[in-house]
Amino acid sequence: MNGLMALGTFSAKSVRRCILGAAFLTASTAPSVAGDFSLNERILKRDFIKVVMSAEFGGDTEFGRSVKKYVERVRFAVINHAQRDRSQEVTNFIQSLPGKISGLKIGFANSPQRANFRIHIVDKRQYTDVMQRYVYRDNKAIARSSCFVRVMPGAVGIGATDAVIVADHGERTFQRCLVEEVLQGLGPLADRAHHRYSVFNSQSTHTTFTPHDQVLLNALYDERIKPGMSKADVVKVLPDVIRDSIAKIQRERT
């Protein structure tokens, strides 16, 4: 574990309301294409702008149009509401991230209140209630899709994230939700990347952290990409950042 605090999983606790988000519709039953990826520099630069410099919900705000990333350690809390506790699977995925994303620092909070990234695991019947009670804090809020993530800005960068993952609506849905919502909660909030290579697209059938998306996250957490940067600022440094991120992933694959 690359963190400061001990791992804990929790029952329901209060959470803060977030303002940006991305939702995931139930995944197709088509076979995964995890082995079919591209490290094409042109496609990756285009996809970085599409998924990082916007958001599925709230993308027209200043925060939505700028770079969104954590600048401090991401302190996770995994909160189980479901009948089948899948917290360890979620934890295992989280613990794998620092080895795949340079510059990302993680830990596990000893309570949801001390976390800045809370992940709620729910059964389908609990989805709306958990969203309204612990994320929106509004019993009139509309629950969209099968899983989603909400992001709140901090003084600099992302301040807090809440994700809701459905555990009992099929294995493919759970795995897709886990990968997409956790990764999107780190900053790339728009579903506009190339669906053949990326999980950041509602048409994608990926259930793994693809090499294409690893390049995008490594680029986002490169120190040259600063939270709050505009598109005009990003495009000045993006070619070098993407090129270096591609080289890193290629080295790790050989």
Side-chain angles (χ1 to χ4, degrees):
M1 181 184 307
N2 182 20
L4 295 177
M5 298 181 181
L7 167 64
T9 58
F10 310 96
S11 59
K13 300 288 184 179
S14 63
V15 295
R16 292 184 290 174
R17 185 174 179 178
C18 303
I19 67 166
L20 292 184
F24 161 56
L25 301 176
T26 303
S28 155
T29 56
S32 173
V33 289
D36 184 9
F37 61 88
S38 171
L39 296 183
N40 179 279
E41 186 177 331
R42 178 185 60 81
I43 293 175
L44 283 157
K45 286 189 293 186
R46 181 202 65 189
D47 282 0
F48 185 93
I49 295 298
K50 285 185 174 183
V51 303
V52 171
M53 308 306 297
S54 186
E56 189 174 348
F57 305 116
D60 57 346
T61 65
E62 183 178 354
F63 183 59
R65 292 191 301 268
S66 62
V67 171
K68 300 162 286 295
K69 63 188 286 187
Y70 278 91
V71 295
E72 61 179 27
R73 187 179 299 271
V74 188
R75 304 182 306 278
F76 287 93
V78 182
I79 307 159
N80 183 64
H81 306 262
Q83 183 173 359
R84 177 187 173 188
D85 190 348
R86 307 191 71 168
S87 300
Q88 191 59 54
E89 293 172 73
V90 176
T91 298
N92 290 345
F93 178 67
I94 293 168
Q95 289 177 318
S96 74
L97 295 179
K100 297 178 179 179
I101 306 172
S102 296
L104 179 67
K105 298 177 181 179
I106 73 163
F108 288 87
N110 55 17
S111 73
Q113 290 78 12
R114 298 190 67 178
N116 57 12
F117 196 134
R118 291 166 289 268
I119 300 173
H120 297 267
I121 306 171
V122 302
D123 289 333
K124 185 64 176 176
R125 62 180 176 80
Q126 302 169 310
Y127 182 64
T128 297
D129 180 65
V130 168
M131 290 209 8
Q132 292 176 341
R133 184 180 300 185
Y134 302 113
V135 179
Y136 286 105
R137 288 186 161 189
D138 179 357
N139 61 12
K140 295 181 180 179
I142 298 173
R144 298 179 175 90
S145 68
S146 297
C147 298
F148 85 95
V149 65
R150 290 282 175 181
V151 169
M152 176 185 288
V156 179
I158 296 174
T161 298
D162 287 282
V164 182
I165 298 174
V166 173
D168 68 339
H169 202 52
E171 187 63 23
R172 180 171 293 278
T173 296
F174 172 73
Q175 295 296 335
R176 168 70 188 275
C177 281
L178 171 59
V179 174
E180 181 176 16
E181 308 309 340
V182 172
L183 295 180
Q184 288 198 311
L186 296 174
L189 276 169
D191 278 336
R192 297 173 183 170
H194 198 300
H195 71 275
R196 287 190 64 196
Y197 312 126
S198 176
V199 74
F200 304 133
N201 188 298
S202 59
Q203 299 179 53
S204 172
T205 57
H206 289 292
T207 58
T208 61
F209 190 4
T210 69
H212 182 87
D213 292 341
Q214 287 181 49
V215 171
L216 297 181
L217 267 295
N218 274 274
L220 176 58
Y221 278 84
D222 188 287
E223 62 182 9
R224 290 167 287 186
I225 301 293
K226 310 291 186 184
M229 287 177 73
S230 67
K231 179 180 177 180
D233 294 329
V234 167
V235 296
K236 295 176 184 177
V237 298
L238 189 59
D240 287 342
V241 171
I242 289 291
R243 202 170 298 120
D244 291 346
S245 298
I246 291 173
K248 174 183 181 295
I249 301 306
Q250 288 176 328
R251 287 195 301 270
E252 292 174 352
R253 297 188 69 251
T254 58

